[in-house]
Amino acid sequence: MASLTVDYYTSTCPPAEIMVKNIVYQALRSDSTASAGLLRMHFHDCFVEGCDGSVLIDSTADNTAEKDSPPNQSLHGFEIIDQAKQVIERICPGVVSCADILTMAARDAVAWAGGPSYDVPKGRKDGRRSKIEDTSSLPPPSLNSTKLIELFGQSGFTAQEVVTLAGAHTLGVAQCKFFKNRLRGFDSTNDVDPTLNPNFANMLSSVCSSGDSTNVSLDWTSDSFDNRYFIALQMGGGVLTSDQTLFTSPETKEVVSTYAMSQDKFFFDFSQVIVKLGMLNVKEGDEGEVRLDCRKIN
Ligand code: HEM
């Protein structure tokens, strides 16, 4: 069982936390979209083979890594992790894992964007495997609430926790290709998804006429971590099928309404569920290593 602790680096690398925070905050001052990038990267790390920094590894001549899979191609912020790692390596060589740096960086990104502040347990080791085929465990945006609950249930999350985690979509954007099937005229036969607010659907159609890779904000404040995502869902303003389903499905609707009403409740629950996400299948001791370069297995 995982025995990670909040003060894991207190004696071996006391400045680790503050160094990560400084570098993340500095990076976000010049690019505020990186908060979404870091949070999503942490999720995609943890949901594929556990939180072991495997998403950070670059492909090589004989291995196509997770990073190059379709859902990971739009991940961004890797250079922030590299920078934190380089600074920390100079002061405490071979001590702080890339998986821990990513977990701390995602935490700092949430706080920077106005979200809750929370402590994260540390002590994860970095994995030695990163294969494109493993990313099939990531949820596609077409999933309905029942399927989402089933998929996240396999990792030990409750239906309520699925909604809480999806609240991460308070940050960031999605490309039109991930939701254009919900709009009229983009696929040959389809009608507008009836769960979409008609005015919102018109706006999306007009924006997406610029092309598949056009970005649309997942709620109307893409750089601030708040509860507006849930208010948007109540208004038929969920961008992805997997977002709107949380309000249309009776299994999860109540939770959406609770969070739409209380940002405090959302923040409290999010702090807990994100720590739980960060504990998924973590590697300890000999199960992993402390990578010296986050992009390469030692
Ligand atoms: C519930 C199932 C989920 C599905 C189906 C899903 C799917 C997606 C998709 C399709 C995008 C747009 C990617 C792009 O346009 O390139 C996205 C963006 C994002 N996702 Fe999720 N996601 C889910 C859960 C989560 C969770 C649990 C987190 C974090 C805890 C998360 C964090 C994010 C963030 C922050 C973005 C914006 C990224 C950016 O702007 O760079 N997602 N998600």
Side-chain angles (χ1 to χ4, degrees):
M1 255 322 277
S3 57
L4 276 56
T5 55
V6 167
D7 56 5
Y8 188 81
Y9 295 116
T10 305
S11 57
T12 52
C13 189
E17 293 261 358
I18 191 72
M19 287 193 290
V20 172
K21 182 172 163 180
N22 285 345
I23 283 162
V24 169
Y25 276 35
Q26 192 185 15
L28 289 172
R29 275 196 291 275
S30 53
D31 174 15
S32 59
T33 70
S35 58
L38 291 170
L39 181 55
R40 185 166 184 243
M41 196 188 292
H42 176 49
F43 169 48
H44 284 205
D45 183 30
C46 293
F47 229 61
V48 179
E49 300 268 308
C51 313
D52 64 350
S54 53
V55 73
L56 304 169
I57 290 178
D58 283 344
S59 293
T60 56
D62 50 10
N63 181 52
T64 309
E66 293 172 24
K67 210 181 231 183
D68 288 317
S69 68
N72 282 342
Q73 277 163 9
S74 53
L75 287 182
H76 54 110
F78 292 107
E79 66 296 339
I80 303 172
I81 305 299
D82 290 337
Q83 207 190 337
K85 179 67 178 172
Q86 281 156 17
V87 171
I88 290 175
E89 276 305 303
R90 280 202 290 269
I91 297 174
C92 331
V95 173
V96 184
S97 69
C98 298
D100 277 344
I101 292 176
L102 176 51
T103 308
M104 291 187 268
R107 182 268 315 269
D108 295 334
V110 166
W112 188 87
S117 301
Y118 49 89
D119 281 332
V120 287
K122 291 160 291 283
R124 294 164 193 76
K125 287 283 165 24
D126 295 321
R128 299 187 183 93
R129 173 191 171 98
S130 179
K131 298 208 169 284
I132 186 169
E133 57 267 26
D134 295 342
T135 58
S136 58
S137 56
L138 290 169
S142 54
L143 294 189
N144 64 21
S145 176
T146 312
K147 293 274 178 216
L148 286 172
I149 293 168
E150 206 177 286
L151 179 70
F152 280 79
Q154 290 164 11
S155 299
F157 294 103
T158 65
Q160 169 172 342
E161 288 173 331
V162 173
V163 181
T164 319
L165 279 171
H169 286 179
T170 178
L171 290 180
V173 296
Q175 300 167 73
C176 291
K177 65 178 168 212
F178 291 116
F179 58 85
K180 67 176 182 178
N181 62 309
R182 307 181 69 206
L183 307 172
R184 198 192 323 270
F186 284 86
D187 284 340
S188 53
T189 52
N190 68 304
D191 245 334
V192 175
D193 180 337
T195 65
L196 260 182
N197 174 302
N199 293 328
F200 187 59
N202 286 339
M203 190 280 284
L204 291 178
S205 295
S206 133
V207 172
C208 289
S209 62
S210 311
D212 271 8
S213 54
T214 310
N215 283 326
V216 171
S217 181
L218 285 162
D219 72 3
W220 62 93
T221 52
S222 64
D223 292 345
S224 78
F225 195 104
D226 51 33
N227 69 336
R228 290 198 177 93
Y229 166 77
F230 298 105
I231 299 170
L233 297 186
Q234 290 182 311
M235 294 163 39
V239 174
L240 306 173
T241 300
S242 56
D243 294 321
Q244 195 57 51
T245 183
L246 300 173
F247 187 66
T248 45
S249 157
E251 293 165 292
T252 45
K253 181 174 184 163
E254 281 295 299
V255 190
V256 171
S257 303
T258 304
Y259 291 152
M261 223 149 45
S262 171
Q263 179 164 281
D264 286 349
K265 170 77 174 143
F266 169 50
F267 279 17
F268 180 80
D269 289 352
F270 188 83
S271 316
Q272 298 200 318
V273 80
I274 197 75
V275 169
K276 180 169 170 179
L277 177 76
M279 304 295 279
L280 277 186
N281 293 324
V282 296
K283 298 183 172 55
E284 294 181 88
D286 293 344
E287 295 165 343
E289 60 187 23
V290 172
R291 235 177 267 150
L292 299 177
D293 172 347
C294 293
R295 292 174 185 263
K296 289 192 200 95
I297 294 163
N298 286 349

